[in-house]
Amino acid sequence: MKIGRVSLENGLVMAPLAGITNLPFRLLAKAAGCGLVVSEMISANGLVHGSRKTVQMLAGDPGEKPLAVQIFGADPGMMAEAAGIAEAAGADILDINFGCAVKKILKSGSGAALMRTPGTARAVLTAVRRRIRIPLTIKIRSGWDPSGEQAVAVARLAEECGVDAVAVHPRTAVQGFRGRSDWSVIAAVKAAVTIPVIGNGDIVVPEDALRMRRETGCEGIMVGRAAIGAPWLFSRIAALERGESLPPETLELRISTMMRYLDASVAYLGEAVACRMMRSRLGWFVRGLPHGSRFRAALTRIETRSEALSLIEALRQASDEDVSASAWV
């Protein structure tokens, strides 16, 4: 799959998720076979004004390339300047958020608000396209009603403005993440534009990805929440697309993933901050395991990398033999 001049190993994309898709998690997704990773949603205003925390969100690594950086905002000049900053920082693709329905984002005219202000949307896209040379993409929703007409209109507008691909999450702004996504909206957008379309929404198991391609004709598949505790979902989708048997979801796969995530987070955030974060995040990877609840409870007390590693090793041992509860205290 190609987006502008950027060639992807495959058409599998990790969705941008606020608070989740930082550098350590993106490295996990990439190692698991994801063709394109996307940053967390980054404030254009924060980038332009040099907010330390915001600028840190641009940190990248050669191992995650190609990288798409997603920004949000509604001021054309500010968005263009922020896009230039992202390009200079090493972004391979610049993505604009047209789908966030959080109230504070909507109040600023950003995110999904752009889908009902086509004049502003055009001005933003035109300004950003003029400012950067890397490929430009947008991520949209169905719009503000279930018809999908706004999605089709915005996708056409984006193509006119030089956007290189569009990702479609076919839930309305009012829905948020509730209910089912309507894949027919993805198909309608695909029929309306010639640029690549990336489908997003309700990809839970590998078979969902193949069904989405078949039903919509989309070139790419974007996976969001289902990959949070199981980034290996990408390798399983890729195997199914190649007609191969699905790689097993083994305990060793979960353990090695946790260890890589822990080490990458310590390197990126420092041990103290990373371990506080890991108190909740390592628990993502043990859903459904017999000793998962005790493991998650013990995680709430970790202070150091070595403590986290000890718990991971205790989990391995608990799966091999009958381990008493004392192993978790």
Side-chain angles (χ1 to χ4, degrees), residues 165-252:
V166 56
V168 184
H169 177 191
R171 286 183 172 91
T172 67
V174 177
Q175 270 184 284
F177 291 101
R178 298 183 301 275
R180 297 290 297 175
S181 57
D182 181 1
W183 290 0
S184 70
V185 175
I186 302 173
V189 170
K190 175 58 190 168
V193 298
T194 61
I195 56 176
V197 172
I198 301 165
N200 176 220
D202 296 332
I203 302 296
V204 179
V205 296
E207 292 78 7
D208 292 332
L210 269 64
R211 185 165 58 87
M212 177 181 279
R213 286 195 195 276
R214 185 171 62 249
E215 293 182 7
T216 70
C218 64
E219 286 87 353
I221 300 289
M222 179 177 281
V223 183
R225 290 171 293 168
I228 291 176
W232 50 81
L233 178 57
F234 292 107
S235 64
R236 290 168 63 81
I237 294 173
L240 193 62
E241 290 185 328
R242 293 191 300 265
E244 302 171 359
S245 58
L246 297 183
E249 298 181 72
T250 63
L251 175 65
E252 280 305 314

Side-chain angles (χ1 to χ4, degrees), residues 18-322:
I20 305 294
T21 52
N22 62 4
L23 174 59
F25 191 85
R26 297 196 306 266
L27 288 170
L28 283 190
K30 190 66 179 180
C34 179
L36 177 66
V37 292
V38 189
S39 74
E40 299 177 72
M41 183 175 68
I42 300 176
S43 164
N45 185 70
L47 283 183
V48 172
H49 289 99
S51 164
R52 183 181 60 82
K53 288 185 177 180
T54 305
V55 172
Q56 185 186 26
M57 295 169 75
L58 289 176
D61 183 276
E64 67 175 335
K65 293 289 192 174
L67 168 67
V69 168
Q70 185 186 78
I71 63 173
F72 74 93
D75 178 87
M78 187 81 70
M79 288 289 282
E81 189 171 350
I85 293 171
E87 181 179 38
D92 301 291
I93 296 171
L94 193 287
D95 184 70
I96 299 178
N97 185 295
F98 271 64
C100 183
V102 174
K103 286 183 179 179
K104 68 177 183 179
I105 302 296
L106 296 177
K107 282 182 66 176
S108 71
S110 309
L114 289 169
M115 294 194 68
R116 55 182 177 186
T117 53
T120 302
R122 183 182 291 276
V124 166
L125 292 173
T126 300
V128 171
R129 181 69 284 172
R130 287 174 177 167
R131 178 64 177 78
I132 61 174
R133 301 183 64 183
I134 58 176
L136 172 62
T137 63
I138 63 171
K139 185 170 188 285
I140 66 176
R141 283 181 174 262
S142 297
W144 288 84
D145 65 72
S147 71
E149 292 178 3
Q150 284 178 315
V152 170
V154 169
R156 284 175 171 157
L157 170 63
E159 185 170 31
E160 291 173 10
C161 293
V163 168
D164 296 288
V166 56
V168 184
H169 177 191
R171 286 183 172 91
T172 67
V174 177
Q175 270 184 284
F177 291 101
R178 298 183 301 275
R180 297 290 297 175
S181 57
D182 181 1
W183 290 0
S184 70
V185 175
I186 302 173
V189 170
K190 175 58 190 168
V193 298
T194 61
I195 56 176
V197 172
I198 301 165
N200 176 220
D202 296 332
I203 302 296
V204 179
V205 296
E207 292 78 7
D208 292 332
L210 269 64
R211 185 165 58 87
M212 177 181 279
R213 286 195 195 276
R214 185 171 62 249
E215 293 182 7
T216 70
C218 64
E219 286 87 353
I221 300 289
M222 179 177 281
V223 183
R225 290 171 293 168
I228 291 176
W232 50 81
L233 178 57
F234 292 107
S235 64
R236 290 168 63 81
I237 294 173
L240 193 62
E241 290 185 328
R242 293 191 300 265
E244 302 171 359
S245 58
L246 297 183
E249 298 181 72
T250 63
L251 175 65
E252 280 305 314
L253 175 61
R254 294 173 187 246
I255 286 175
S256 64
T257 300
M258 285 190 284
M259 292 175 70
R260 290 200 310 273
Y261 191 31
L262 171 65
D263 286 344
S265 295
V266 169
Y268 178 58
L269 299 167
E271 186 173 33
V273 174
C275 287
R276 286 195 296 271
M277 185 177 288
M278 292 300 104
R279 291 173 183 175
S280 61
R281 298 197 174 188
L282 289 180
W284 294 342
F285 304 96
V286 299
R287 286 197 295 262
L289 291 185
H291 301 280
S293 60
R294 286 193 293 173
F295 178 72
R296 286 190 292 270
L299 281 174
T300 62
R301 300 186 293 273
I302 63 170
E303 298 283 350
T304 66
R305 174 181 176 273
S306 63
E307 290 173 355
L309 290 174
S310 294
L311 286 180
I312 293 171
E313 181 58 32
L315 178 69
R316 176 189 276 121
Q317 293 176 7
S319 300
D320 293 336
E321 56 189 57
D322 184 17

